[in-house]
Amino acid sequence: MNKSIITSLFTEPWYLDKPFRVIGNLYADFIMKNKEKNEAEYLASINYFPYSESNKKIAIIPLSGIVRKYGYGSTSAISDLLDGMEQDDSIAGVVFLTDSPGGMASGTGMLAEKIFNFKKPTASYIKGLSCSAAYYINAATDKIFVDKNADWVGSIGTLISFVDWVPLFEKFGAKYYEIYSSFSSEKNKSFRDLVSGNPEKLREEIDTYAKDFITHMQTFRKNMDEDVFKGGTWRPKEAVKKRLADAIGNLQDAIDYIAQKSKINSNQNNMAEKKYPKIASILGLEVSLKSGFLFGQKTVNLSENQLDLIENALSSNLTDETVNSLSTDKKNLEQKLSDNLNQIENIKKEITASLKNCNLTGTGTIVEDIKLLSSKVIEYGRKDGEIPTSVYSSKDKEDAPLENDILTNNYKFLYNK
């Protein structure tokens, strides 16, 4: 585990919303997700949507989880991505797909300024949370769309957490010494004052972060209600009223905004949605095409020509009767799968009960637990008087199952050796 990450939890200023102030939540979301990730895996999470009849594409950058300064998906990584996208003529603009409670103060302001000065159109689509550091970043974009079912927006403010472990250590007999050089009287003074019961110097320090935050907000978004600077959060409709967001909308709205600002395929933005009933019937969801993108429960990156080919192929080979039949088969298979899963759960319960009766501890996997029970059955079967003696001819004995195959083949008898 990275020691510097643990240190930052307790010593650095955070732009973070209230549900994540609990250290346990920070640990779960920040530490566990901070494991080394393959760079290709992160880059693969960034979607590029091509527009029909255009060589331009729009980048969708995910902004999720705890915002941190370094690592894949961090403010530094996004900043580097934007440098490349700004020079890439095929990129028309960027949408930030956001669901984050915020995170580290360090690095957030720098990324926000880069977005604010980005030479291409930018937009944000808030699908869950956009709080504190995450909102700091979203506010720098040209336009903010918030989903009608999103959670909370805002939390403009700064906090710092600090735990003094010394009393706990001393309770168990430890002695803690901290000696500063005679030339270092101001070193860590704010934290030393805090331990002594005076938090004012530390509060003054984090106030500088809060002031930077508010100043940027007033620069990025004009006419915001003054009360948003106190750290409150609001649901989507109220967030729009407070000027924290520009409109209730979805990802498609953000994409259309970039297209309009980039002046690409402007004629398509006024086109009616194109329906694909055959594809929709097979997928079991509503499917339509607008501005060159297929939208269902999830966004699918297919061009209009590709969709037309699929729809035409389905139309020529699938009748309504066939589609209905496939749909029925799908439901039947789903029911069989559900029944089988229930049966497996019942078997697991029976195996667990059998292990308990035999005073055995299972391994957690069905195969290993069955082997364990099998060995116990064989052990009991070899004991005198444990089972009745069965008489076999030599031919019967040759045909009898091997001991290791007894449970596997569902045989429940043993023969005496």
Side-chain angles (χ1 to χ4, degrees), residues 131-151:
C131 294
S132 220
Y135 183 75
Y136 203 144
I137 295 168
N138 288 156
T141 61
D142 298 331
K143 193 158 187 173
I144 300 176
F145 296 90
V146 57
D147 195 277
K148 64 180 180 180
N149 295 312
D151 299 312

Side-chain angles (χ1 to χ4, degrees), residues 183-399:
F183 300 102
S184 307
S185 60
E186 294 298 313
K187 188 173 181 64
N188 297 330
K189 191 172 187 308
S190 57
F191 287 97
R192 286 187 283 141
D193 287 351
L194 176 63
V195 172
S196 300
N198 181 16
E200 292 309 312
K201 184 172 178 59
L202 190 57
R203 182 175 286 112
E204 290 174 5
E205 291 178 0
I206 64 174
D207 278 351
T208 62
Y209 285 89
K211 289 177 181 177
D212 288 345
F213 198 161
I214 293 171
T215 299
H216 273 131
M217 295 301 97
Q218 292 170 332
T219 301
F220 297 160
R221 297 186 62 80
K222 307 296 184 183
N223 303 319
M224 295 174 73
D225 281 7
E226 287 295 320
D227 60 345
V228 302
F229 301 133
K230 297 177 182 179
T233 55
W234 289 268
R235 295 301 308 281
K237 289 183 180 179
E238 287 300 314
V240 173
K241 290 179 181 178
K242 300 276 184 188
R243 292 282 297 136
L244 287 165
D246 295 294
I248 302 294
N250 55 32
L251 180 59
Q252 178 67 70
D253 294 320
I255 291 171
D256 287 346
Y257 171 79
I258 298 295
Q260 184 181 15
K261 292 285 287 185
S262 302
K263 298 180 180 179
I264 58 172
N265 289 342
S266 58
N267 61 316
Q268 287 204 10
N269 291 327
N270 299 319
M271 291 176 62
E273 292 188 6
K274 188 172 183 179
K275 302 293 183 180
Y276 290 87
K278 298 296 182 182
I279 297 176
S281 62
I282 292 176
L283 296 179
L285 49 83
E286 183 179 350
V287 179
S288 61
L289 184 74
K290 184 180 178 183
S291 301
F293 297 103
L294 174 67
F295 278 84
Q297 292 176 341
K298 291 185 177 180
T299 303
V300 180
N301 188 6
L302 292 174
S303 69
E304 184 174 1
N305 290 335
Q306 290 171 324
L307 289 171
D308 287 338
L309 287 172
I310 295 172
E311 182 72 13
N312 292 335
L314 292 174
S315 298
S316 61
N317 292 299
L318 289 179
T319 63
D320 291 338
E321 183 179 351
T322 304
V323 170
N324 291 335
S325 176
L326 288 172
S327 179
T328 301
D329 290 343
K330 178 173 174 281
K331 290 180 181 178
N332 291 336
L333 288 172
E334 288 175 345
Q335 183 59 50
K336 287 182 180 179
L337 176 61
S338 177
D339 293 341
N340 288 336
L341 290 174
N342 290 334
Q343 187 175 0
I344 289 172
E345 285 301 316
N346 291 332
I347 292 173
K348 285 182 179 178
K349 291 178 182 178
E350 292 178 5
I351 292 173
T352 301
S354 298
L355 289 170
K356 186 176 181 180
N357 291 335
C358 296
N359 294 321
L360 297 174
T361 301
T363 62
T365 64
I366 293 179
V367 174
E368 293 299 323
D369 288 349
I370 288 176
K371 287 181 179 179
L372 187 59
L373 281 173
S374 177
S375 64
K376 201 66 176 177
V377 170
I378 294 172
E379 177 187 338
Y380 287 162
R382 286 173 174 165
K383 293 182 179 180
D384 293 337
E386 292 296 328
I387 60 171
T389 301
S390 299
V391 180
Y392 291 88
S393 67
S394 58
K395 180 65 170 64
D396 292 334
K397 193 167 183 178
E398 291 175 0
D399 295 337

Side-chain angles (χ1 to χ4, degrees), residues 45 47 59-67 73 78 94-103 111 115 122-141 143-154 236 244-245 249-251 254:
S45 69
N47 291 313
I60 313 295
I61 298 180
L63 182 62
S64 59
I66 299 295
V67 175
I78 294 174
V94 177
V95 174
F96 290 90
L97 182 61
T98 306
D99 188 1
S100 168
L111 175 60
I115 294 170
T122 58
S124 294
Y125 165 56
I126 301 169
K127 66 174 184 176
L129 289 168
S130 176
C131 294
S132 220
Y135 183 75
Y136 203 144
I137 295 168
N138 288 156
T141 61
K143 193 158 187 173
I144 300 176
F145 296 90
V146 57
D147 195 277
K148 64 180 180 180
N149 295 312
D151 299 312
W152 299 97
V153 181
L244 287 165
N250 55 32
L251 180 59

Side-chain angles (χ1 to χ4, degrees), residues 392 396-407 409-415 417:
Y392 291 88
D396 292 334
K397 193 167 183 178
E398 291 175 0
D399 295 337
L402 296 176
E403 287 183 348
N404 290 339
D405 293 334
I406 289 171
L407 195 63
N409 294 302
N410 295 322
Y411 289 105
K412 302 213 183 240
F413 65 90
L414 291 163
Y415 58 87
K417 294 185 177 180

